[in-house]
Amino acid sequence: MTDHVIPENALRALLHAQIEAWAAADGAAFADTFTEDAVFVSVIGEYIRGRATIAATVQEGLNGFMKGTRMLEPAVLNLHFPAPDTAILITRSGRPVRPGTTPDPDEKSIQTRLAVCRRRQWLFSSFQNTRIGGFPAPVN
């Protein structure tokens, strides 16, 4: 696993670039962590394709209902390299919150990011955010 030390650091830095871009309310910087042809599936099921569309959609949210929020530091559940230039990063985190507020412990999701290394640069090519929740109560 020592051969993955540098890619692991690069992927963690890429993840933190997303967190910093969100805190700066910068949709373009957030999208810069993705490949041009990336696919982003939000926690509410939006299917967003392409870096430019990711930038615009995230910026719209950061200007609107997510204004003033920050992403929480995620727990890395798994970082796997199925090929030398491909990584799967699975994290768990709470919902973005406004500074000074306490995150709701019931508002968690799992994010799966697929990253690729092209020309010695790691970028995310796919992102899936899934809210953690139990099965609905049975209907009688």
Side-chain angles (χ1 to χ4, degrees), residues 62-85:
L62 291 170
N63 291 343
F65 73 98
M66 294 182 290
K67 186 173 186 161
T69 62
R70 61 180 169 79
M71 291 174 67
L72 302 175
E73 181 71 29
V76 174
L77 302 178
N78 193 345
L79 177 54
H80 174 67
F81 293 87
D85 61 350

Side-chain angles (χ1 to χ4, degrees), residues 40-46 108-109 127-132:
F40 184 100
V41 179
S42 78
V43 73
I44 61 171
E46 295 170 294
K108 292 201 180 289
S109 62
F127 175 92
Q128 166 75 49
N129 194 4
T130 304
R131 187 171 188 279
I132 298 170

Side-chain angles (χ1 to χ4, degrees), residues 12-81:
R12 288 178 189 273
L14 193 59
L15 179 60
H16 282 101
Q18 284 188 335
I19 293 169
E20 291 165 11
W22 191 285
D26 189 339
F30 184 87
D32 283 346
T33 64
F34 290 93
T35 60
E36 287 293 334
D37 61 347
V39 172
F40 184 100
V41 179
S42 78
V43 73
I44 61 171
E46 295 170 294
Y47 178 85
I48 306 162
R49 186 171 186 97
R51 183 188 287 167
T53 308
I54 293 168
T57 303
V58 169
Q59 191 64 58
E60 183 180 323
L62 291 170
N63 291 343
F65 73 98
M66 294 182 290
K67 186 173 186 161
T69 62
R70 61 180 169 79
M71 291 174 67
L72 302 175
E73 181 71 29
V76 174
L77 302 178
N78 193 345
L79 177 54
H80 174 67
F81 293 87

